[in-house]
Amino acid sequence: MHTRADMRDPEAARALAGVDVLYHLGFQLWSGKGGPAAMAAANLEGTANVLSARPGRVVLASSAAVYGAWPDNPVPMGEEHVARPNPECPYAEHKLAVERMCAGEVPTVALRIGAVLGDHAERRVARAALAYRLVVPAVRGVTQALQFVDEADVVDALRGSGAATATGVVNVATSDWLDAPAVASVAGGRVVAVPRRVLIGASEVGRRARLLPFGADRAVLLSGPLALSVDRAADVLGWRPSRTSREVLAGATHRPWRTY
């Protein structure tokens, strides 16, 4: 039986009542017309509602963004590293809050997933990858470490998590990472490094003018290295990425422009 409902709707909880495994992928990624408050309500209240169905286990699609992009981040970061979301990114703060909500209620494995690319990539992320063919933005004086994971590899990790017994945080990314010059060499664009405040401010202006796919909330993720170790995924899930960040980015940028 298929039920279509808002995650905050009691009908959603009724449809999920007593399920063995809940794959929690529902999330509002961007601040919409209702602003940050509406986004928080959708993500946090929606999660509380589906948890009221008392699933036996939760597989949560979380995000690498919960670690925060900070200049002092180690490369790569393991799951033991303290999560420090950048305050400019409410999406990351909500993901971390939802991780804690789920873990406090039922056995949960939270997959902290890197930037996902592929044929079905989220529209704004796909547009940003294509834009690397022109410009690769960077924060002046900061070393970046970016990862791009193939959507098929993420699906495999989600499936494997449902069948496994592991709980806690598991990173899902690639075994390699790219700095800004490496991204430019793959995509063909030119690195443009500016002070952090300039990048954040210009990104927000561009978002409001509908010239950029997102604003300060995602531009802030260039403020420091954000590369994840995937050793635990191999240990507890038997999962390994089949493609590298370089291969995934090349596949996303070496294709005809299209409307997303």
Side-chain angles (χ1 to χ4, degrees), residues 24-239:
H24 186 2
L25 281 69
F27 223 75
Q28 183 172 325
L29 306 182
W30 319 96
S31 181
K33 293 181 179 179
M39 181 180 177
N43 293 332
L44 305 183
E45 294 175 15
T47 295
N49 185 52
V50 296
L51 287 176
S52 71
R54 305 306 302 171
R57 173 179 169 81
V58 169
V59 176
L60 172 66
S62 188
S63 170
V66 303
Y67 289 109
W70 302 98
D72 61 349
N73 281 348
V75 178
M77 284 183 287
E79 290 83 354
E80 74 284 352
H81 190 73
V82 177
R84 300 180 292 167
N86 298 100
E88 297 90 345
C89 186
Y91 164 79
E93 294 182 328
H94 296 169
K95 282 290 190 184
L96 183 58
V98 166
E99 282 187 18
R100 292 169 175 168
M101 289 173 64
C102 292
E105 294 290 334
V106 296
T108 297
V109 57
L111 303 184
R112 290 180 176 170
I113 304 168
V116 182
L117 293 175
D119 290 341
H120 306 92
E122 202 282 330
R123 179 178 57 86
R124 298 189 197 187
V125 176
R127 286 172 58 195
L130 283 173
Y132 285 147
R133 291 163 60 167
L134 302 175
V135 173
V136 178
V139 174
R140 185 177 297 165
V142 172
T143 299
Q144 293 175 329
L146 306 176
Q147 290 171 309
F148 304 94
V149 59
D150 185 77
E151 60 184 16
D153 282 339
V154 174
V155 170
D156 286 343
L158 288 164
R159 287 175 174 168
S161 298
T165 58
T167 58
V169 172
V170 179
N171 293 335
V172 174
T174 57
S175 300
D176 68 324
W177 47 87
L178 307 173
D179 60 11
V183 170
S185 72
V186 172
R190 173 175 174 266
V191 176
V192 176
V194 298
R196 182 183 185 275
R197 66 180 183 279
V198 173
L199 178 65
I200 299 301
S203 297
E204 192 61 21
V205 170
R207 180 192 67 81
R208 292 177 181 177
R210 298 185 179 181
L211 298 175
L212 295 176
F214 38 71
D217 58 335
R218 295 315 196 274
V220 73
L221 299 179
L222 299 178
S223 298
L226 194 54
L228 313 185
S229 167
V230 292
D231 290 345
R232 185 165 193 257
D235 291 341
V236 303
L237 301 179
W239 178 88

Side-chain angles (χ1 to χ4, degrees), residues 1-19 22 46 48-55:
M1 184 179 69
H2 177 263
T3 298
R4 182 172 183 174
D6 188 302
M7 284 205 314
R8 293 166 289 182
D9 193 320
E11 181 61 25
R14 285 193 291 269
L16 295 169
V19 296
L22 169 63
N49 185 52
V50 296
L51 287 176
S52 71
R54 305 306 302 171

